[in-house]
Amino acid sequence: MKYIVNLSRIIVGVLFIISGAIKLNDPMGLSFKLEEYFAPDVLNLPFLAPYVLGIALFLVVFEVMLGIMLLLGYKSKFTIWCLLLMIVFFTFLTFYSAYFNKVTDCGCFGDAIKLTPWESFSKDVVLLLLILVLFFGRNHIKPFISAKVGFIGTVIALAACVLFADHVLNHLPVIDFRPYKIGANIGEGMIIPEDAPKPIYEYSWKFKVDGEEKIIKTNGDYPSVDGEFIDVETEEIQKGYEPPVHDFSIEKGGEDHTEAMLAEDKLVMVISYNMRKASEEGLEKMKAVTDKALADGYKVIGMSASGEDLTLPVLRKYDLNFEFYFTDETTLKTIVRSNPGILKLHRGTIVQKLHFNDADELETN
């Protein structure tokens, strides 16, 4: 039993540290995922929406700390009880999400490893079993070296987590796992290969045959039935290939400017997914930066999901000399974890990406 408990201890501890560290690299991304969970059509907890970033930060730091404390054997009873309560909650959450198809990606490993809802649930079930082994064998969990070493290691790890979280929130994630990372070409990311798998749909055809309703299922063909057609329902039973970059477009006045903008040699984008939530300090910094870019021959555009009723007042207030184009909000949140943020592109390839705190580092010479 002792060896099984210690093996489970290592597996659970390492997994919690890796999972938490990946999300700690991008806590803003987790906060966006929590917004999905708190939405009215999922958990219906809209009153928590204003606090998603704080909740995200607490969860990721706590997850990393539990993994470290487990490996160090520090406060083992407290650690195991917290692990058990946390995994029970997340197992329920991933099952609910998978069964009712509410959130298609749990965000367990951020953007580094994408899991389907059922894969996330299966992962949590395995973790639950391992943590139950730890719970019932907790007397076999001893401190690594000593309790004092465990305390010192825990304090150092907590300080490191807080400092790292502060850095990525005030700049950008240290490692970018998204399809809009520096060096990626947006246009190429939207290409669907000719041999890519196509989605498979199941059609449930409802007919009235001899006075009774009858349902016939096919994968698309209209069934040969001697009866009166009533209705048909369609369900996607197997997803097709989805390109890394999707739902990306640049629109204005009902016209699509995506192709033209991605063909620009020198393009700077100022991105604000929601103008109401944009940092005033960040918007103030855009004036000097974008004026310099324009003077150096760059085309400068704004990209937002907000309408002109919000973007035009911002342009006037900060005397910005460019126009805003419309892009999907979720896409803009994915592109850059800063509101506003800055992208520099060359023919669709992302050359530079900046948080507004680093706006003066934009290279336009």
Side-chain angles (χ1 to χ4, degrees), residues 317-332:
K317 179 179 180 179
Y318 298 100
D319 192 27
L320 300 175
N321 297 311
F322 57 85
E323 294 182 312
F324 269 93
Y325 291 73
F326 177 83
T327 303
D328 176 73
E329 181 171 328
T330 301
T331 299
L332 295 178

Side-chain angles (χ1 to χ4, degrees), residues 58-84:
F58 172 78
L59 286 175
V60 296
V61 172
F62 194 51
E63 187 175 359
V64 173
M65 295 309 301
L66 287 178
I68 290 172
M69 290 169 68
L70 180 63
L71 292 180
L72 292 175
Y74 182 66
K75 299 289 185 183
S76 58
K77 290 184 179 179
F78 169 81
T79 301
I80 292 168
W81 269 107
C82 289
L83 287 169
L84 182 61

Side-chain angles (χ1 to χ4, degrees), residues 153-347:
T154 300
V155 171
I156 292 174
L158 178 59
C161 287
V162 171
L163 290 172
F164 187 74
D166 180 72
H167 174 78
V168 295
L169 285 175
N170 286 291
H171 301 280
L172 289 177
V174 173
I175 303 175
D176 194 346
F177 295 104
R178 288 157 290 155
Y180 298 94
K181 59 181 176 290
I182 293 175
N185 185 281
I186 295 176
E188 291 176 0
M190 292 191 285
I191 296 173
I192 299 178
E194 292 184 3
D195 58 347
K198 302 291 189 295
I200 298 176
Y201 297 93
E202 184 178 77
Y203 297 81
S204 298
W205 307 86
K206 186 182 294 184
F207 292 87
K208 181 175 285 186
V209 181
D210 298 330
E212 295 183 359
E213 287 189 359
K214 184 177 182 181
I215 295 178
I216 298 176
K217 295 184 177 182
T218 72
N219 290 126
D221 296 334
Y222 188 87
S224 300
V225 178
D226 187 13
E228 177 187 353
F229 170 75
I230 300 175
D231 193 15
V232 61
E233 294 182 359
T234 306
E235 180 185 1
E236 187 179 37
I237 59 175
Q238 182 177 310
K239 288 188 173 295
Y241 173 82
E242 185 175 70
V245 176
H246 52 275
D247 297 331
F248 179 89
S249 63
I250 304 174
E251 301 174 6
K252 189 173 182 61
E255 295 184 14
D256 190 339
H257 297 267
T258 309
E259 187 175 345
M261 292 300 178
L262 294 183
E264 290 283 344
D265 280 334
K266 302 167 74 175
L267 178 67
V268 168
M269 295 178 174
V270 175
I271 295 175
S272 174
Y273 71 88
N274 186 327
M275 203 59 74
R276 285 193 177 93
K277 298 181 180 180
S279 164
E280 291 189 10
E281 177 190 357
L283 291 172
E284 287 175 359
K285 292 182 177 182
M286 293 304 108
K287 172 62 177 174
V289 171
T290 55
D291 280 356
K292 184 178 184 303
L294 288 166
D296 290 339
Y298 279 78
K299 182 176 183 63
V300 179
I301 64 171
M303 294 176 63
S304 179
S306 299
E308 290 188 349
D309 58 322
L310 294 177
T311 58
L312 289 178
V314 167
L315 292 174
R316 289 193 292 267
K317 179 179 180 179
Y318 298 100
D319 192 27
L320 300 175
N321 297 311
F322 57 85
E323 294 182 312
F324 269 93
Y325 291 73
F326 177 83
T327 303
D328 176 73
E329 181 171 328
T330 301
T331 299
L332 295 178
K333 286 179 177 179
T334 304
I335 292 173
V336 62
R337 305 298 202 208
S338 174
N339 188 12
I342 302 174
L343 252 68
K344 185 177 79 172
L345 295 93
H346 171 69
R347 296 184 182 178

Side-chain angles (χ1 to χ4, degrees), residues 6-231:
N6 281 304
L7 178 61
S8 299
R9 173 184 178 180
I10 294 171
I11 294 172
V12 172
V14 170
L15 280 176
F16 265 70
I17 292 170
I18 292 174
S19 173
I22 289 173
K23 293 193 287 287
L24 186 60
N25 175 66
D26 184 16
M28 192 66 71
L30 178 60
S31 73
F32 294 149
K33 186 60 61 177
L34 290 177
E35 281 185 327
E36 292 183 43
Y37 278 113
F38 296 155
D41 60 334
V42 185
L43 296 179
N44 194 23
L45 299 171
F47 65 92
L48 291 176
Y51 312 107
V52 288
L53 182 56
I55 295 172
L57 285 168
F58 172 78
L59 286 175
V60 296
V61 172
F62 194 51
E63 187 175 359
V64 173
M65 295 309 301
L66 287 178
I68 290 172
M69 290 169 68
L70 180 63
L71 292 180
L72 292 175
Y74 182 66
K75 299 289 185 183
S76 58
K77 290 184 179 179
F78 169 81
T79 301
I80 292 168
W81 269 107
C82 289
L83 287 169
L84 182 61
L85 292 173
M86 180 178 279
I87 199 61
V88 167
F89 172 73
F90 282 111
T91 302
F92 159 76
L93 194 63
T94 51
F95 172 77
Y96 177 84
S97 177
Y99 187 80
F100 293 100
N101 196 30
K102 292 293 186 179
V103 179
T104 57
D105 172 27
C106 73
C108 304
F109 294 98
D111 290 290
I113 303 173
K114 294 288 188 179
L115 298 178
T116 66
W118 285 115
E119 287 172 343
S120 301
F121 173 68
S122 301
K123 179 264 299 177
D124 285 343
V125 169
V126 172
L127 274 174
L128 176 59
L129 294 174
L130 291 172
I131 292 171
L132 285 173
V133 170
L134 296 175
F135 181 79
F136 291 111
R138 55 189 179 276
N139 291 332
H140 294 288
I141 298 178
K142 305 298 180 183
F144 178 72
I145 301 180
S146 68
K148 185 177 181 180
V149 170
F151 172 75
I152 294 172
T154 300
V155 171
I156 292 174
L158 178 59
C161 287
V162 171
L163 290 172
F164 187 74
D166 180 72
H167 174 78
V168 295
L169 285 175
N170 286 291
H171 301 280
L172 289 177
V174 173
I175 303 175
D176 194 346
F177 295 104
R178 288 157 290 155
Y180 298 94
K181 59 181 176 290
I182 293 175
N185 185 281
I186 295 176
E188 291 176 0
M190 292 191 285
I191 296 173
I192 299 178
E194 292 184 3
D195 58 347
K198 302 291 189 295
I200 298 176
Y201 297 93
E202 184 178 77
Y203 297 81
S204 298
W205 307 86
K206 186 182 294 184
F207 292 87
K208 181 175 285 186
V209 181
D210 298 330
E212 295 183 359
E213 287 189 359
K214 184 177 182 181
I215 295 178
I216 298 176
K217 295 184 177 182
T218 72
N219 290 126
D221 296 334
Y222 188 87
S224 300
V225 178
D226 187 13
E228 177 187 353
F229 170 75
I230 300 175
D231 193 15

